[in-house]
Each structure stands twice: as C-alpha cells, then as structure tokens.
Amino acid sequence: MATGRTHRPATRSRGIPEATVARLPLYLRALTALSERSVPTVSSEELAAAAGVNSAKLRKDFSYLGSYGTRGVGYDVEYLVYQISRELGLTQDWPVVIVGIGNLGAALANYGGFASRGFRVAALIDADPAMKGKPVAGMPVQHTDDLEKIISDNGVHIGVIATPAGAAQQVSERLIAAGVTSILNFAPTVLSVPDGVDVRKVDLSIELQILAFHEQRKAGEEAAAVAGAADDVVTPPPLRADTAAAAAAAAASRKGPDGDVPAVMPA
Amino acid sequence: MATGRTHRPATRSRGIPEATVARLPLYLRALTALSERSVPTVSSEELAAAAGVNSAKLRKDFSYLGSYGTRGVGYDVEYLVYQISRELGLTQDWPVVIVGIGNLGAALANYGGFASRGFRVAALIDADPAMKGKPVAGMPVQHTDDLEKIISDNGVHIGVIATPAGAAQQVSERLIAAGVTSILNFAPTVLSVPDGVDVRKVDLSIELQILAFHEQRKAGEEAAAVAGAADDVVTPPPLRADTAAAAAAAAASRKGPDGDVPAVMPA
DNA sequence: CCATCTTTGTGCACGCGTTCACAAAGGCAT
DNA sequence: ATGCCTTTGTGAACGCGTGCACAAAGATGG
Ligand SMILES: NC(=O)c1ccc[n+]([C@@H]2O[C@H](COP(=O)([O-])OP(=O)(O)OC[C@H]3O[C@@H](n4cnc5c(N)ncnc54)[C@H](O)[C@@H]3O)[C@@H](O)[C@H]2O)c1
Ligand SMILES: NC(=O)c1ccc[n+]([C@@H]2O[C@H](COP(=O)([O-])OP(=O)(O)OC[C@H]3O[C@@H](n4cnc5c(N)ncnc54)[C@H](O)[C@@H]3O)[C@@H](O)[C@H]2O)c1
C-alpha cells in the first residue's frame, strides 16, 4: 500500500535517468517532424533547438541509449526515431482504458494524438447508467460493472482516470486489482497505490497555481523596481500590520484572543 | 526570443526553491480538505501523508516560508492555508483566457475547480467564426480578432492555449504581445517565448509515453525473472544483428521498396 | 593517404533537491 | 515550577541533473 506515491521512485529505471526518459518523447516529436519533412540527418544543435533543450543535455541523454550519432555529421533521423521508439516501448501496442467519461474524459477520448503513438483506446468506462452504450468518439461507453472483465479481456496495463476526485482512489484500486500497473490521473487527489504501480498526475489547478506564484513574483519585482522598494503589496519580506492582523485572526479563529502573531517570516 | 524554454529558469524565485513551489499547491489542497473538516491543527507527519510526500521534505518546504508551526503540536490549519495562499498569490483574483474552444478547451471551460482558487475565466476565444457568440459553460465564445482587446480590457496575465499544435506558437505570440506573461500550453509543441514569460505545458502524450517506458521495463524485468534472462525483446544492452538490421531497414524505409517498417508511428 | 574541419561523446565540476538525524522548543501533566 | 514527551526546524551528507569544455572520431576534400 504505502502512502500515496506520485511518481516512479521504486522502479529505478536501470541505466536511463528519469529526467532523460521524460525528455525522450520531446526528442521523438521533433524527430518525427523532421522525418515528415524527409530530413535525413540532424545535428545535436539543431535537434536540441527543435526540442527546446540544451544541446549538451541532448547529447548526454542520447549517450544513455548508445552511440547512435556520427561525428562530424549528426544523427540519422529515421534510425533515431526507431531507437527512441523502441526504448520508450512504442513499437508495441498499448491498450488503454479511460474511466470517467465526463467533460474531460470525452475530450480525451476524442483526442486524435492519443492513438498516434501506439496507444489505443480499448474502452471507455463510466459509472453513470445513463451513459451506458452511448457512443463517444465512435465507441460505446461501458459500465463500471464490467471494468474487471474489460481490463482482463483486453490485456490493459495502462488506465486513465478522469472521474471526480472522490471516486479516483476507489477506481484506481479496482483498476489495479484487475491488472493495471500504470495510471494517468486527472483527478485532483493523491492516489495511494501499491509498490510496482506507477502513477502520473495531470493537474490543471496546480499548474495554474505555480504560474500565479511566478506571476505574483514578477509583479512584486516590477513594483520594487519602479518604486523605492519600500512598499510591499505582494513581496514576501515583512508583512504590513493589517495583513498580519488578518493572518492572526485566521490563526486565532479557534482559541483565545491571542492577538499577537506579528510580522511573519522570521527565519 | 530565445529558444523554446519550457519551465521557469529565469525568474529565479528568490528564496523559495522551485521544487517547493510546485508542492505548495499539494499542501494547500490537503490543508483545505482538513479545514473543511474543521481540523484545527495537523502534524507534519499527518499532512505529509495526506499530500503524498515525505514529512522531512514538507517541514523543509515550510521552513522556506517561515516558522509557522508549534513544536510538540503541529501546524494551525487555517493559518497555514492563509500563508500558503498568500505565498502562491491566490489571495488575489487572476483573470484567465482560454484560447481554442474545441474538445479540450470546452472541457476546461466547464471545469469547476478552475474558479475555486482565485482563477476566473475572463474569456473564451476561438478562431472559428461559427463558434462566435456560441455559449460554452455559460459564456459566449469570442473571436480571435478581439484577442488583444480582451486581454487588455480584463488585465489578463495568464493564458491557456488549447488550439491545435500548428496554431499554438502564433497564438502565444499574440497573447504575449497583448500583455500575457504566463502561459499554460496544452498543444503538443515547444513554444518559443521571450525572457520573462513563463510557460508550463501539459502533454498527455508525453505522460503516456513515460508510463509506457516503465511499463515495458516492468514487463522486461518480469520476463527476465521468469526466464533465464537470455532473450532480449526490449532490454537496452547491446544490439543484436537482426535488431540492427530492422533498424537499418527502418532507416531506409523512405527510398527503396523495403516493405517492412516496424511499428513506428507516423503522425 | 593526409590534412582539416565538424560534431559527437563524456569526464568533471557545480548546484539543487532529498533525506537523515537531532538539538531546541514548547505544551502538558504532576 | 519542573520534568517529560512530542514535534518542529535545520545542519549536514548524499545523490542526481545540468552544463562546460575538450579530446576523439569520422567525414570530406585535395
Ligand atoms: N474538465 C477539466 O478540464 C478538468 C481539468 C482538470 C481536472 N479535471 C478533473 O478531471 C475529473 C473529471 O472532470 P470532468 O470535468 O470531466 O467531470 P465530469 O463530472 O464532467 O465527469 C465525471 C465523470 O465520471 C463519472 N464517474 C463518477 N464516478 C465514477 C466512478 N466511480 N467510476 C466511473 N466513472 C465515474 C461520471 O459519471 C461522469 O461522467 C475531475 O476529477 C476533475 O477535477 C478536469
Ligand atoms: N483533447 C484532448 O484530450 C487533448 C489532450 C492532449 C492534448 N490536446 C491538445 O490540445 C489541443 C486542442 O485539442 P482539441 O481536442 O480540443 O482540438 P479541437 O480541434 O477540438 O479544438 C481546437 C480548437 O481550436 C480552434 N483554433 C484553431 N486555430 C485557432 C487559432 N489560431 N486561434 C484560436 N483558436 C483556434 C479551433 O477552431 C478549435 O475550436 C490540441 O493541440 C491537442 O493536441 C488535446
């Protein structure tokens, strides 16, 4: 069981660093584009630019896969596409089920890029009886009652969860019990899964909050640059009296009227 | 313009490490749940479990914000919710525009959790004239012609791109020219943006490919454990003659009538 | 066959992030 | 008050990821 682990810490991908694995799809996408334009070879510099990374990083990444380049020339595009595809396991077919066919689930089901890389939507599953049999993306929605059978009949190892957060943990347990060992979770919850099961999450809200943090930071720096850096508004340093008071009020909302809690951020 | 940088390397969030910033929303979510259950205080151990992280990591993360805990007791839930919200900039309102109201864009527009943390969908924008004025999530879709005016009138700094990949770069340029400085990109492309602009990407296909890599790895290890670890199939080590031949054939798939081509993907 | 020029592959150093482990802090009971 | 017990906050060690810089490899032209 273990506590909700979010990424793949256990598997310890022998040899290839996790950071490299995460970039391989990026390289593959850039290479595919080159391949379509019939470009025969590409240098690490060019490919790195197309993938939006540093060329040294790219070369080091490729070095984990083997020596597939030719010095003085670059990399053979088609050959590299094949090698990366093989390394990522895209030379085989991966049946996938999507659970929770609401707004998001339906959009995912309709997503073309889904099938373009060896992933095949094997089934769409929803708990709503009214959805049963209803076609979404040209495929009938099936009921959760048949989840186990669907997973096992199709040899599914990868599941996508797009249910409300409250149902996600339970759905993940059923998926795992039925044989799924990799989950892509769109529900905003931490999933607790056994060792050996990989979970990756996509959380729109978290991404926006991270952007907001930096955005606020920019606004603060800008204000500090314009003004004499005396006023605060959003900067972390001290904290104005009224803001501190609000914080104190929130903190004291339970017990006595200890109206203290001065300027925070001591350490 | 710089090459497509993907994450926030420039901003150098003074003080708070990027990895910590990325976890703050996780803590906030867990704390909000506790708050709703009227739990007054929580220990680092409990909160860490709820957020799916290590308790030492959580304490260190909080130490960057300040000393908000009480030794022997734990953290005041309400107070911490306030502090993290403030740090993330969620105490203010963030108007957001979504560009590209197709399957995904519509799902995002309908997403309730969007507005729950200070983010407000200020406008939905699409290039399709047929979409103009059509209500999606109770809001009329506006045409791209008015993009600049919408951004400026609403003081939008955060934009979400859900257009096809081919249009993403151009859309990002218009957004940025109009004043957007943070972009959440759902299109599978590397965006080239000027310094000072943050881009975060959500790419379903990449996530699935990473899962496939580990899935393949699991299958390989399993097979190796069962069999005598002699056969390859997917293991990285050397490269057998026939495998190399297949690769070479794939590389030549463009010119000659080599009717093979493994499983490699096209699009 | 040799010289030159381009580009790979990688040794190395550095910085960030994670984790351990513990002293200090504070509540609480006596 | 005093001592015990819990939990925080953090110093320090470690490991991973990144980027530099360059020697080696190989293509290409003479
Ligand atoms: N829509 C988005 O843009 C978006 C963005 C980020 C995250 N999310 C998250 O994705 C999830 C789905 O979002 P949505 O907007 O599609 O919600 P939705 O309500 O439109 O769809 C949820 C679907 O899940 C089904 N469902 C409920 N319980 C189930 C169960 N136990 N087993 C199988 N199916 C079940 C429902 O019948 C419904 O069809 C939510 O957790 C949401 O927070 C959505
Ligand atoms: N649907 C998914 O689940 C999913 C998942 C991952 C990634 N994506 C990516 O998200 C993007 C959108 O996917 P989708 O399924 O919603 O596609 P879609 O074709 O349904 O929608 C695209 C929308 O963008 C609009 N558009 C096109 N060019 C535009 C422009 N220049 N300015 C403004 N709007 C423009 C179109 O009119 C259309 O409404 C694609 O890049 C896709 O690869 C989608």
Side-chain angles (χ1 to χ4, degrees):
Chain A
M1 18 228 108
T3 332
R5 65 180 52 219
T6 310
H7 284 309
R8 68 270 68 104
T11 354
R12 195 66 213 99
S13 324
R14 180 173 50 67
I16 303 181
E18 190 56 32
T20 295
V21 172
R23 280 188 295 268
L24 291 181
L26 235 47
Y27 302 144
L28 184 55
R29 189 203 291 156
L31 285 165
T32 303
L34 290 172
S35 174
E36 281 167 5
R37 289 168 38 207
S38 299
V39 176
T41 60
V42 64
S43 71
S44 63
E45 204 68 52
E46 295 167 324
L47 184 55
V53 303
N54 179 302
S55 72
K57 194 185 292 184
L58 177 143
R59 287 199 300 276
K60 178 142 292 193
D61 283 342
F62 285 175
S63 79
Y64 293 116
L65 308 184
S67 287
Y68 296 150
T70 304
R71 294 172 191 234
V73 176
Y75 300 90
D76 182 290
V77 173
E78 298 296 334
Y79 183 61
L80 204 47
V81 163
Y82 172 75
Q83 289 299 342
I84 295 180
S85 294
R86 189 177 58 82
E87 197 63 56
L88 285 172
L90 305 182
T91 50
Q92 60 185 282
D93 185 67
W94 292 105
V96 173
V97 295
I98 303 176
V99 185
I101 313 303
N103 286 311
L104 183 61
L108 295 176
N110 277 301
Y111 181 45
F114 216 116
S116 72
R117 294 229 182 283
F119 299 100
R120 178 172 53 82
V121 179
L124 306 179
I125 304 176
D126 200 289
D128 186 352
M131 294 285 294
K132 188 172 179 180
K134 198 180 140 196
V136 170
M139 179 176 275
V141 173
Q142 301 185 62
H143 194 266
T144 10
D145 285 349
D146 305 321
L147 187 145
E148 285 76 11
K149 180 168 164 47
I150 296 167
I151 301 289
S152 121
D153 285 0
N154 291 279
V156 174
H157 287 138
I158 301 178
V160 176
I161 297 180
T163 65
Q169 178 63 39
Q170 198 195 337
V171 166
S172 77
E173 286 165 11
R174 287 186 67 181
L175 287 173
I176 293 165
V180 164
T181 46
S182 286
I183 292 176
L184 181 51
N185 181 32
F186 283 86
T189 330
V190 174
L191 294 182
S192 287
V193 301
D195 280 357
V197 175
D198 283 302
V199 175
R200 293 191 67 86
K201 65 171 192 298
V202 172
D203 194 320
L204 168 64
S205 178
I206 287 181
E207 299 301 325
L208 283 178
Q209 288 174 55
I210 295 172
L211 285 177
F213 172 85
H214 292 294
E215 200 57 47
Q216 182 189 42
R217 200 53 72 115
K218 288 177 205 164
E221 282 170 5
E222 205 170 276
V226 174
D231 211 348
D232 51 4
V233 178
V234 290
T235 30
L239 195 45
R240 272 198 335 232
D242 55 331
T243 312
S253 65
R254 184 171 48 81
K255 39 168 67 171
D258 299 293
D260 68 296
V261 189
V264 237
M265 295 294 282
Chain B
M1 27 192 86
T3 328
R5 63 182 52 216
T6 311
H7 284 309
R8 68 273 68 102
T11 355
R12 194 66 212 96
S13 324
R14 181 172 49 67
I16 304 181
E18 191 56 34
T20 295
V21 172
R23 281 188 294 267
L24 291 181
L26 236 47
Y27 302 144
L28 184 55
R29 187 164 70 202
L31 284 165
T32 302
L34 290 172
S35 174
E36 280 167 7
R37 287 168 41 208
S38 298
V39 176
T41 60
V42 65
S43 71
S44 64
E45 204 69 52
E46 296 167 323
L47 184 55
V53 303
N54 180 302
S55 72
K57 194 185 291 184
L58 177 143
R59 286 199 301 277
K60 176 137 293 198
D61 283 343
F62 285 176
S63 78
Y64 293 116
L65 308 185
S67 287
Y68 295 152
T70 303
R71 294 172 191 235
V73 177
Y75 300 89
D76 182 291
V77 173
E78 298 295 333
Y79 185 60
L80 205 45
V81 163
Y82 172 75
Q83 290 299 342
I84 295 180
S85 294
R86 190 176 57 83
E87 198 63 56
L88 286 172
L90 305 181
T91 50
Q92 61 186 280
D93 183 66
W94 293 104
V96 173
V97 295
I98 303 177
V99 185
I101 314 301
N103 287 311
L104 182 61
L108 295 176
N110 276 301
Y111 181 44
F114 217 117
S116 72
R117 293 232 179 281
F119 299 100
R120 178 173 53 85
V121 179
L124 306 179
I125 303 176
D126 200 287
D128 186 351
M131 293 285 295
K132 188 172 177 181
K134 198 179 140 197
V136 170
M139 180 175 275
V141 173
Q142 300 184 64
H143 193 268
T144 9
D145 286 348
D146 305 322
L147 187 144
E148 285 76 10
K149 179 168 165 47
I150 296 167
I151 301 289
S152 123
D153 283 0
N154 291 277
V156 174
H157 287 138
I158 302 178
V160 176
I161 297 180
T163 65
Q169 178 62 41
Q170 198 194 336
V171 166
S172 77
E173 286 165 12
R174 288 187 65 182
L175 287 173
I176 292 166
V180 164
T181 46
S182 286
I183 292 176
L184 182 52
N185 180 32
F186 283 87
T189 331
V190 174
L191 294 182
S192 286
V193 301
D195 280 356
V197 175
D198 283 302
V199 175
R200 294 193 67 87
K201 65 172 192 300
V202 172
D203 194 321
L204 168 64
S205 178
I206 287 182
E207 299 301 323
L208 283 177
Q209 289 174 56
I210 295 172
L211 285 177
F213 172 86
H214 292 295
E215 200 57 47
Q216 182 189 42
R217 201 52 73 115
K218 288 176 203 164
E221 280 169 8
E222 205 170 274
V226 174
D231 209 347
D232 55 2
V233 179
V234 291
T235 31
L239 197 43
R240 273 193 342 219
D242 55 332
T243 311
S253 67
R254 185 167 50 81
K255 26 176 69 173
D258 304 283
D260 65 291
V261 185
V264 198
M265 68 299 109

